[in-house]
Amino acid sequence: MISRGIVLAGLLCAAVPGSARTQWFVEAAEEAGIDFRHENGATPEKYMPETMSGGGLFFDYDGDGWLDVFLVNGGSFVDAGAAAAAAHRLYRNDGDGTLTDHSAGSGIGVSGYGMGACAADYDNNGDVDLYVTSMGPNRLYRNEGDGRFADVTEAAGAGYDLWSSSCAFGDVDNDGDGDLYVVNYVDFAVDNNKPCVHTGDVPVYCHPNVYNGRSDVLFRNDGDGAFTDVSRASGVHHAGGKGLGVVFADYDRDGWTDIYVANDSVPNFLFHNRGDGAFEEVALFAGVAVDRAGEPLAGMGTDMGDVDGDGLPDAFVTNLATQTHNLYTNLGAGLFMDSTYESGAGRATLPFVGFGTVFADFDNDGDLDIAVANGEVIDNVALFQDNRTYPQRNLLLDNDGTGRFTDVGPESGPGFALEKVGRALAAGDIDNDGDQDLLVVNVGQTADLLRNDGENAGGSILVRTVGTGSNRDGVGAELTLRVGDRRLVRHVKAGSSYLAQSDLRVHFGLGAAERAERLEIRWPG
């Protein structure tokens, strides 16, 4: 087999003998130097983006092996001064537990009302680039390699001027460079804002059913620094979507990366890659479009990963309270089963409104757990529902190794006792101590850095892939680590959750094992 990349770095963190506490999260944003407060410009008119914004990601923009943080600000639709001051923030990791604000001089500007971001080395030059989505013009920033970014949106042909939400990079045509998928939501605009009320006279943020959906966009990377919009030609142009979350994954393991989109109150999309430049929308047939009752849910965030150890990526989607967040188990042969209640995810998530979500092994026991950022959509919901509040606590669902989950947030440290209005959620090892930390962006509030101060009861391995024949970041690669009689399967993803992206490096918890026997990488293409 011809190798299409290399493992650039592997970090092995040993277990702490006799340690019992495996995960313990503390809120460390202020201690680390992150002083970001999201501006949502809330108004009596209740423009929908005011309650939907708040993006962020972990990425190593300077290539020093330490995760940096990028936070997407919102803005204001009525106050020009507040809109201009709602700057996005770039924090550089100093490698000593602190981060320094390097926003000034970074070249990353304010454009429209900010939503989310994703990052990948789209031009394969060794520096990770950045795409920012907005209610208004999106922006592509090329990393210049010296701490600065250049706005190359127009030259690259990657701009869009709708209400875009999440985005993700992935090599859909296996040609060795990263293509870009941009999720668009509804046709809201300030001049077509529809006043919505509850019980006749209480103004509220509108349900998406009062607006028409927008089609998503697939930009093919032409390999020369430019992109071509191939949405219609590829078959991903669907006017019925109201997209909020997206993740790339080769769910049927046929060697071609597929695209899963979480849609709000209409069926989700699963675009099966046919390998000839075209996609077929198969979500209903595959079993991931609606719930087991055949009803579309309020899909917000999504991620894919192998939660039951069979080597196949399963799907998780966050929804509104009383709907549950849904887990779809991959059965193989292109089919999924809604296992929300059998897995325990249904009972744990029923009271919550979920947005960002990630699969990650937070206790280093070798299986993927689930974290969810929760927060209501309607800011004044307490006026008419006694048991509901705008801020909510987040969820940490522990996997028992078979794909069954228990909410362990209340016993996992003060970080999970916070009640805020959560939106974006990303996972990554920001302090390189061998366990997974969390970044949470809260609408209209300060951001949270939930540092995992567990005592590493299980060892771990952290791997960075660098493509040679594949795209530079190895996005789309499938990594299989053999630990004793277990096969741990993970994937390199550049965009998932909601308005967010997690660490491009791949983390494996080793549990009680002292070593791993073999690492196999199935490169894209």
Side-chain angles (χ1 to χ4, degrees), residues 160 162 182-185 213-217 232 236-241:
Y160 228 77
L162 298 174
V182 180
V183 181
N184 293 314
Y185 190 34
R214 292 287 199 181
S215 296
D216 301 337
V217 181
R232 292 184 182 275
V236 304
H237 185 277
H238 277 251

Side-chain angles (χ1 to χ4, degrees), residues 29-284:
E30 183 177 358
E31 177 186 340
I34 297 176
D35 58 353
F36 173 85
R37 176 179 288 272
H38 179 264
E39 173 63 66
N40 70 333
T43 62
E45 289 77 18
K46 296 196 179 297
Y47 299 120
M48 280 185 70
E50 295 170 356
T51 194
M52 305 292 286
S53 176
L57 53 78
F58 282 132
F59 75 140
D60 182 8
Y61 79 92
D62 54 0
D64 65 353
W66 294 88
L67 282 182
D68 309 304
V69 170
F70 180 70
L71 297 169
V72 180
N73 219 331
S76 173
F77 294 107
V78 298
D79 185 333
H88 311 318
R89 303 284 287 278
L90 178 67
Y91 293 91
R92 182 181 181 275
N93 194 328
D94 298 322
D96 59 0
T98 65
L99 296 98
T100 301
D101 190 341
H102 280 245
S103 309
S106 68
I108 301 172
V110 176
S111 60
Y113 189 101
M115 291 298 296
C118 55
D121 184 3
Y122 81 91
D123 52 3
N124 287 341
N125 70 347
D127 299 308
V128 64
D129 309 297
L130 181 67
Y131 193 80
V132 181
T133 63
S134 305
M135 169 66 211
N138 299 335
R139 288 286 181 257
L140 175 65
Y141 293 99
R142 186 184 65 219
N143 191 334
E144 301 292 82
D146 57 0
R148 295 178 299 166
F149 290 80
D151 185 343
V152 296
T153 312
E154 302 307 320
Y160 228 77
D161 196 6
L162 298 174
W163 182 358
S164 298
S165 52
S166 299
C167 61
F169 286 94
D171 188 358
V172 300
D173 48 10
N174 285 343
D175 65 349
D177 48 42
D179 309 298
L180 173 64
Y181 192 94
V182 180
V183 181
N184 293 314
Y185 190 34
V186 296
D187 65 349
F188 164 86
V190 172
D191 59 7
N192 79 338
N193 181 54
K194 303 182 191 315
C196 294
V197 295
H198 188 275
T199 62
D201 59 357
V202 180
V204 295
Y205 288 109
C206 289
H207 191 280
N209 64 9
V210 305
Y211 294 99
N212 295 319
R214 292 287 199 181
S215 296
D216 301 337
V217 181
L218 176 61
F219 290 105
R220 185 191 65 214
N221 193 330
D222 296 330
D224 57 0
F227 291 83
T228 298
D229 182 347
V230 295
S231 309
R232 292 184 182 275
S234 66
V236 304
H237 185 277
H238 277 251
K242 297 180 180 181
L244 290 176
V246 62
V247 61
F248 282 85
D250 181 7
Y251 75 94
D252 55 357
R253 301 193 74 250
D254 65 353
W256 297 91
T257 195
D258 311 297
I259 307 169
Y260 186 51
V261 179
N263 286 319
D264 190 355
S265 302
V266 296
N268 301 323
F269 294 150
L270 178 60
F271 293 109
H272 176 249
N273 192 335
R274 300 193 324 196
D276 59 359
F279 290 82
E280 181 182 6
E281 205 289 291
V282 298
L284 189 62

Side-chain angles (χ1 to χ4, degrees), residues 178 189 428 488:
L488 310 182

